[in-house]
PDB file of all heavy atoms in Angstrom:
ATOM      1  N   GLN X   8       0.832  -1.205   0.000  1.00 90.00           N
ATOM      2  CA  GLN X   8       0.000   0.000   0.000  1.00 90.00           C
ATOM      3  C   GLN X   8       0.866   1.255   0.000  1.00 90.00           C
ATOM      4  O   GLN X   8       0.603   2.215  -0.726  1.00 90.00           O
ATOM      5  CB  GLN X   8      -0.918   0.005   1.230  1.00 90.00           C
ATOM      6  CG  GLN X   8      -1.864   1.201   1.278  1.00 90.00           C
ATOM      7  CD  GLN X   8      -2.634   1.285   2.593  1.00 90.00           C
ATOM      8  OE1 GLN X   8      -2.187   0.763   3.614  1.00 90.00           O
ATOM      9  NE2 GLN X   8      -3.786   1.924   2.562  1.00 90.00           N
ATOM     10  N   GLY X   9       1.924   1.250   0.809  1.00 89.00           N
ATOM     11  CA  GLY X   9       2.781   2.418   0.908  1.00 89.00           C
ATOM     12  C   GLY X   9       3.561   2.699  -0.356  1.00 89.00           C
ATOM     13  O   GLY X   9       3.588   3.832  -0.854  1.00 89.00           O
ATOM     14  N   LEU X  10       4.217   1.657  -0.910  1.00 92.00           N
ATOM     15  CA  LEU X  10       5.038   1.865  -2.102  1.00 92.00           C
ATOM     16  C   LEU X  10       4.190   2.199  -3.323  1.00 92.00           C
ATOM     17  O   LEU X  10       4.632   2.930  -4.211  1.00 92.00           O
ATOM     18  CB  LEU X  10       5.887   0.614  -2.377  1.00 92.00           C
ATOM     19  CG  LEU X  10       6.936   0.737  -3.485  1.00 92.00           C
ATOM     20  CD1 LEU X  10       7.900   1.888  -3.213  1.00 92.00           C
ATOM     21  CD2 LEU X  10       7.699  -0.573  -3.653  1.00 92.00           C
ATOM     22  N   SER X  11       2.961   1.693  -3.366  1.00 91.00           N
ATOM     23  CA  SER X  11       2.104   1.974  -4.524  1.00 91.00           C
ATOM     24  C   SER X  11       1.756   3.458  -4.628  1.00 91.00           C
ATOM     25  O   SER X  11       1.423   3.950  -5.707  1.00 91.00           O
ATOM     26  CB  SER X  11       0.819   1.142  -4.448  1.00 91.00           C
ATOM     27  OG  SER X  11      -0.003   1.559  -3.364  1.00 91.00           O
ATOM     28  N   ARG X  12       1.847   4.199  -3.533  1.00 87.00           N
ATOM     29  CA  ARG X  12       1.556   5.639  -3.568  1.00 87.00           C
ATOM     30  C   ARG X  12       2.601   6.416  -4.351  1.00 87.00           C
ATOM     31  O   ARG X  12       2.321   7.495  -4.871  1.00 87.00           O
ATOM     32  CB  ARG X  12       1.477   6.208  -2.147  1.00 87.00           C
ATOM     33  CG  ARG X  12       0.301   5.728  -1.321  1.00 87.00           C
ATOM     34  CD  ARG X  12       0.251   6.406   0.034  1.00 87.00           C
ATOM     35  NE  ARG X  12       1.522   6.273   0.755  1.00 87.00           N
ATOM     36  CZ  ARG X  12       2.207   7.299   1.235  1.00 87.00           C
ATOM     37  NH1 ARG X  12       1.783   8.535   1.061  1.00 87.00           N
ATOM     38  NH2 ARG X  12       3.334   7.099   1.901  1.00 87.00           N
ATOM     39  N   SER X  13       3.835   5.880  -4.410  1.00 86.00           N
ATOM     40  CA  SER X  13       4.928   6.672  -4.965  1.00 86.00           C
ATOM     41  C   SER X  13       5.639   6.042  -6.144  1.00 86.00           C
ATOM     42  O   SER X  13       6.427   6.709  -6.813  1.00 86.00           O
ATOM     43  CB  SER X  13       5.961   6.944  -3.860  1.00 86.00           C
ATOM     44  OG  SER X  13       6.460   5.735  -3.318  1.00 86.00           O
ATOM     45  N   VAL X  14       5.390   4.766  -6.426  1.00 91.00           N
ATOM     46  CA  VAL X  14       6.231   4.060  -7.399  1.00 91.00           C
ATOM     47  C   VAL X  14       6.186   4.705  -8.786  1.00 91.00           C
ATOM     48  O   VAL X  14       7.221   4.817  -9.465  1.00 91.00           O
ATOM     49  CB  VAL X  14       5.846   2.562  -7.460  1.00 91.00           C
ATOM     50  CG1 VAL X  14       4.420   2.364  -7.997  1.00 91.00           C
ATOM     51  CG2 VAL X  14       6.847   1.790  -8.312  1.00 91.00           C
ATOM     52  N   ILE X  15       5.033   5.153  -9.231  1.00 91.00           N
ATOM     53  CA  ILE X  15       4.948   5.759 -10.566  1.00 91.00           C
ATOM     54  C   ILE X  15       5.646   7.112 -10.593  1.00 91.00           C
ATOM     55  O   ILE X  15       6.223   7.498 -11.616  1.00 91.00           O
ATOM     56  CB  ILE X  15       3.474   5.864 -11.006  1.00 91.00           C
ATOM     57  CG1 ILE X  15       2.865   4.467 -11.150  1.00 91.00           C
ATOM     58  CG2 ILE X  15       3.336   6.623 -12.329  1.00 91.00           C
ATOM     59  CD1 ILE X  15       1.395   4.442 -11.509  1.00 91.00           C
ATOM     60  N   MET X  16       5.633   7.811  -9.465  1.00 86.00           N
ATOM     61  CA  MET X  16       6.305   9.110  -9.399  1.00 86.00           C
ATOM     62  C   MET X  16       7.808   8.972  -9.595  1.00 86.00           C
ATOM     63  O   MET X  16       8.476   9.893 -10.071  1.00 86.00           O
ATOM     64  CB  MET X  16       6.000   9.773  -8.057  1.00 86.00           C
ATOM     65  CG  MET X  16       6.395  11.236  -7.982  1.00 86.00           C
ATOM     66  SD  MET X  16       5.404  12.267  -9.105  1.00 86.00           S
ATOM     67  CE  MET X  16       6.100  13.887  -8.775  1.00 86.00           C
ATOM     68  N   PHE X  17       8.370   7.815  -9.225  1.00 86.00           N
ATOM     69  CA  PHE X  17       9.802   7.583  -9.450  1.00 86.00           C
ATOM     70  C   PHE X  17      10.160   7.721 -10.930  1.00 86.00           C
ATOM     71  O   PHE X  17      11.301   8.016 -11.273  1.00 86.00           O
ATOM     72  CB  PHE X  17      10.203   6.178  -8.996  1.00 86.00           C
ATOM     73  CG  PHE X  17      10.200   5.975  -7.500  1.00 86.00           C
ATOM     74  CD1 PHE X  17      10.113   4.714  -6.959  1.00 86.00           C
ATOM     75  CD2 PHE X  17      10.287   7.054  -6.629  1.00 86.00           C
ATOM     76  CE1 PHE X  17      10.119   4.510  -5.594  1.00 86.00           C
ATOM     77  CE2 PHE X  17      10.287   6.870  -5.258  1.00 86.00           C
ATOM     78  CZ  PHE X  17      10.205   5.594  -4.736  1.00 86.00           C
ATOM     79  N   PHE X  18       9.185   7.491 -11.801  1.00 90.00           N
ATOM     80  CA  PHE X  18       9.410   7.506 -13.246  1.00 90.00           C
ATOM     81  C   PHE X  18       8.768   8.730 -13.897  1.00 90.00           C
ATOM     82  O   PHE X  18       8.245   8.665 -15.004  1.00 90.00           O
ATOM     83  CB  PHE X  18       8.870   6.222 -13.865  1.00 90.00           C
ATOM     84  CG  PHE X  18       9.522   4.972 -13.327  1.00 90.00           C
ATOM     85  CD1 PHE X  18       8.974   4.286 -12.255  1.00 90.00           C
ATOM     86  CD2 PHE X  18      10.704   4.504 -13.883  1.00 90.00           C
ATOM     87  CE1 PHE X  18       9.587   3.152 -11.748  1.00 90.00           C
ATOM     88  CE2 PHE X  18      11.308   3.363 -13.381  1.00 90.00           C
ATOM     89  CZ  PHE X  18      10.761   2.690 -12.310  1.00 90.00           C
ATOM     90  N   GLY X  19       8.808   9.843 -13.189  1.00 83.00           N
ATOM     91  CA  GLY X  19       8.259  11.080 -13.732  1.00 83.00           C
ATOM     92  C   GLY X  19       6.758  11.063 -13.861  1.00 83.00           C
ATOM     93  O   GLY X  19       6.192  11.780 -14.694  1.00 83.00           O
ATOM     94  N   ASN X  20       6.105  10.239 -13.038  1.00 85.00           N
ATOM     95  CA  ASN X  20       4.648  10.092 -13.054  1.00 85.00           C
ATOM     96  C   ASN X  20       4.132   9.556 -14.386  1.00 85.00           C
ATOM     97  O   ASN X  20       2.993   9.814 -14.779  1.00 85.00           O
ATOM     98  CB  ASN X  20       3.962  11.421 -12.716  1.00 85.00           C
ATOM     99  CG  ASN X  20       2.630  11.213 -12.019  1.00 85.00           C
ATOM    100  OD1 ASN X  20       2.420  10.226 -11.336  1.00 85.00           O
ATOM    101  ND2 ASN X  20       1.707  12.144 -12.206  1.00 85.00           N
ATOM    102  N   SER X  21       4.982   8.781 -15.070  1.00 90.00           N
ATOM    103  CA  SER X  21       4.596   8.186 -16.348  1.00 90.00           C
ATOM    104  C   SER X  21       4.306   6.698 -16.159  1.00 90.00           C
ATOM    105  O   SER X  21       5.213   5.915 -15.850  1.00 90.00           O
ATOM    106  CB  SER X  21       5.709   8.359 -17.383  1.00 90.00           C
ATOM    107  OG  SER X  21       5.443   7.589 -18.543  1.00 90.00           O
ATOM    108  N   THR X  22       3.053   6.319 -16.356  1.00 93.00           N
ATOM    109  CA  THR X  22       2.683   4.916 -16.227  1.00 93.00           C
ATOM    110  C   THR X  22       3.377   4.065 -17.289  1.00 93.00           C
ATOM    111  O   THR X  22       3.819   2.941 -17.010  1.00 93.00           O
ATOM    112  CB  THR X  22       1.153   4.768 -16.359  1.00 93.00           C
ATOM    113  OG1 THR X  22       0.518   5.551 -15.348  1.00 93.00           O
ATOM    114  CG2 THR X  22       0.733   3.317 -16.199  1.00 93.00           C
ATOM    115  N   ILE X  23       3.502   4.592 -18.494  1.00 95.00           N
ATOM    116  CA  ILE X  23       4.127   3.838 -19.589  1.00 95.00           C
ATOM    117  C   ILE X  23       5.584   3.527 -19.275  1.00 95.00           C
ATOM    118  O   ILE X  23       6.049   2.387 -19.426  1.00 95.00           O
ATOM    119  CB  ILE X  23       4.004   4.615 -20.913  1.00 95.00           C
ATOM    120  CG1 ILE X  23       2.542   4.698 -21.341  1.00 95.00           C
ATOM    121  CG2 ILE X  23       4.837   3.945 -22.003  1.00 95.00           C
ATOM    122  CD1 ILE X  23       2.309   5.538 -22.582  1.00 95.00           C
ATOM    123  N   ILE X  24       6.325   4.536 -18.820  1.00 95.00           N
ATOM    124  CA  ILE X  24       7.743   4.313 -18.500  1.00 95.00           C
ATOM    125  C   ILE X  24       7.875   3.343 -17.326  1.00 95.00           C
ATOM    126  O   ILE X  24       8.766   2.485 -17.306  1.00 95.00           O
ATOM    127  CB  ILE X  24       8.434   5.649 -18.188  1.00 95.00           C
ATOM    128  CG1 ILE X  24       8.468   6.524 -19.447  1.00 95.00           C
ATOM    129  CG2 ILE X  24       9.857   5.421 -17.674  1.00 95.00           C
ATOM    130  CD1 ILE X  24       9.051   7.901 -19.220  1.00 95.00           C
ATOM    131  N   THR X  25       6.967   3.466 -16.347  1.00 96.00           N
ATOM    132  CA  THR X  25       6.988   2.546 -15.211  1.00 96.00           C
ATOM    133  C   THR X  25       6.813   1.110 -15.676  1.00 96.00           C
ATOM    134  O   THR X  25       7.555   0.202 -15.262  1.00 96.00           O
ATOM    135  CB  THR X  25       5.874   2.904 -14.215  1.00 96.00           C
ATOM    136  OG1 THR X  25       5.994   4.272 -13.823  1.00 96.00           O
ATOM    137  CG2 THR X  25       5.942   2.023 -12.983  1.00 96.00           C
ATOM    138  N   LEU X  26       5.837   0.885 -16.552  1.00 96.00           N
ATOM    139  CA  LEU X  26       5.579  -0.471 -17.050  1.00 96.00           C
ATOM    140  C   LEU X  26       6.732  -0.975 -17.911  1.00 96.00           C
ATOM    141  O   LEU X  26       7.096  -2.158 -17.848  1.00 96.00           O
ATOM    142  CB  LEU X  26       4.272  -0.490 -17.840  1.00 96.00           C
ATOM    143  CG  LEU X  26       2.989  -0.330 -17.004  1.00 96.00           C
ATOM    144  CD1 LEU X  26       1.782  -0.157 -17.920  1.00 96.00           C
ATOM    145  CD2 LEU X  26       2.794  -1.547 -16.099  1.00 96.00           C
ATOM    146  N   LEU X  27       7.316  -0.093 -18.718  1.00 96.00           N
ATOM    147  CA  LEU X  27       8.460  -0.498 -19.546  1.00 96.00           C
ATOM    148  C   LEU X  27       9.643  -0.915 -18.676  1.00 96.00           C
ATOM    149  O   LEU X  27      10.317  -1.911 -18.956  1.00 96.00           O
ATOM    150  CB  LEU X  27       8.864   0.642 -20.476  1.00 96.00           C
ATOM    151  CG  LEU X  27       7.995   0.837 -21.724  1.00 96.00           C
ATOM    152  CD1 LEU X  27       8.428   2.096 -22.478  1.00 96.00           C
ATOM    153  CD2 LEU X  27       8.079  -0.380 -22.643  1.00 96.00           C
ATOM    154  N   PHE X  28       9.903  -0.138 -17.637  1.00 97.00           N
ATOM    155  CA  PHE X  28      10.992  -0.495 -16.731  1.00 97.00           C
ATOM    156  C   PHE X  28      10.755  -1.874 -16.136  1.00 97.00           C
ATOM    157  O   PHE X  28      11.661  -2.716 -16.088  1.00 97.00           O
ATOM    158  CB  PHE X  28      11.120   0.532 -15.608  1.00 97.00           C
ATOM    159  CG  PHE X  28      12.074   0.108 -14.517  1.00 97.00           C
ATOM    160  CD1 PHE X  28      13.439   0.288 -14.673  1.00 97.00           C
ATOM    161  CD2 PHE X  28      11.608  -0.483 -13.345  1.00 97.00           C
ATOM    162  CE1 PHE X  28      14.322  -0.109 -13.683  1.00 97.00           C
ATOM    163  CE2 PHE X  28      12.490  -0.891 -12.351  1.00 97.00           C
ATOM    164  CZ  PHE X  28      13.853  -0.699 -12.520  1.00 97.00           C
ATOM    165  N   TRP X  29       9.540  -2.101 -15.650  1.00 97.00           N
ATOM    166  CA  TRP X  29       9.243  -3.402 -15.035  1.00 97.00           C
ATOM    167  C   TRP X  29       9.382  -4.525 -16.062  1.00 97.00           C
ATOM    168  O   TRP X  29       9.983  -5.576 -15.767  1.00 97.00           O
ATOM    169  CB  TRP X  29       7.832  -3.413 -14.448  1.00 97.00           C
ATOM    170  CG  TRP X  29       7.527  -4.751 -13.830  1.00 97.00           C
ATOM    171  CD1 TRP X  29       7.885  -5.187 -12.599  1.00 97.00           C
ATOM    172  CD2 TRP X  29       6.836  -5.832 -14.468  1.00 97.00           C
ATOM    173  NE1 TRP X  29       7.463  -6.481 -12.410  1.00 97.00           N
ATOM    174  CE2 TRP X  29       6.814  -6.900 -13.530  1.00 97.00           C
ATOM    175  CE3 TRP X  29       6.228  -6.012 -15.703  1.00 97.00           C
ATOM    176  CZ2 TRP X  29       6.204  -8.121 -13.814  1.00 97.00           C
ATOM    177  CZ3 TRP X  29       5.632  -7.229 -15.987  1.00 97.00           C
ATOM    178  CH2 TRP X  29       5.616  -8.263 -15.055  1.00 97.00           C
ATOM    179  N   ALA X  30       8.858  -4.314 -17.254  1.00 96.00           N
ATOM    180  CA  ALA X  30       8.901  -5.367 -18.270  1.00 96.00           C
ATOM    181  C   ALA X  30      10.347  -5.702 -18.664  1.00 96.00           C
ATOM    182  O   ALA X  30      10.730  -6.871 -18.759  1.00 96.00           O
ATOM    183  CB  ALA X  30       8.099  -4.937 -19.494  1.00 96.00           C
ATOM    184  N   VAL X  31      11.157  -4.683 -18.885  1.00 96.00           N
ATOM    185  CA  VAL X  31      12.544  -4.913 -19.305  1.00 96.00           C
ATOM    186  C   VAL X  31      13.340  -5.579 -18.194  1.00 96.00           C
ATOM    187  O   VAL X  31      14.102  -6.519 -18.433  1.00 96.00           O
ATOM    188  CB  VAL X  31      13.204  -3.586 -19.728  1.00 96.00           C
ATOM    189  CG1 VAL X  31      14.710  -3.775 -19.938  1.00 96.00           C
ATOM    190  CG2 VAL X  31      12.561  -3.064 -21.002  1.00 96.00           C
ATOM    191  N   SER X  32      13.173  -5.097 -16.958  1.00 96.00           N
ATOM    192  CA  SER X  32      13.977  -5.618 -15.858  1.00 96.00           C
ATOM    193  C   SER X  32      13.471  -6.960 -15.329  1.00 96.00           C
ATOM    194  O   SER X  32      14.204  -7.670 -14.648  1.00 96.00           O
ATOM    195  CB  SER X  32      14.032  -4.603 -14.709  1.00 96.00           C
ATOM    196  OG  SER X  32      12.726  -4.303 -14.236  1.00 96.00           O
ATOM    197  N   THR X  33      12.232  -7.333 -15.662  1.00 96.00           N
ATOM    198  CA  THR X  33      11.672  -8.587 -15.154  1.00 96.00           C
ATOM    199  C   THR X  33      11.588  -9.662 -16.228  1.00 96.00           C
ATOM    200  O   THR X  33      11.931 -10.833 -15.993  1.00 96.00           O
ATOM    201  CB  THR X  33      10.265  -8.353 -14.564  1.00 96.00           C
ATOM    202  OG1 THR X  33      10.320  -7.301 -13.599  1.00 96.00           O
ATOM    203  CG2 THR X  33       9.728  -9.617 -13.910  1.00 96.00           C
TER     204      THR X  33
END
């Protein structure tokens, strides 16, 4: 719950970049 509040903000608040990072690294 806590990390979900901020995780997308780590990537400039871009959902697409967040998903790309996860897909590439996973």
Side-chain angles (χ1 to χ4, degrees):
Q8 182 188 24
L10 188 57
S11 68
R12 292 184 306 125
S13 58
V14 65
I15 296 177
M16 192 66 180
F17 289 159
F18 300 93
N20 210 28
S21 170
T22 301
I23 293 176
I24 294 176
T25 305
L26 289 172
L27 282 174
F28 171 82
W29 179 82
V31 170
S32 59
T33 307

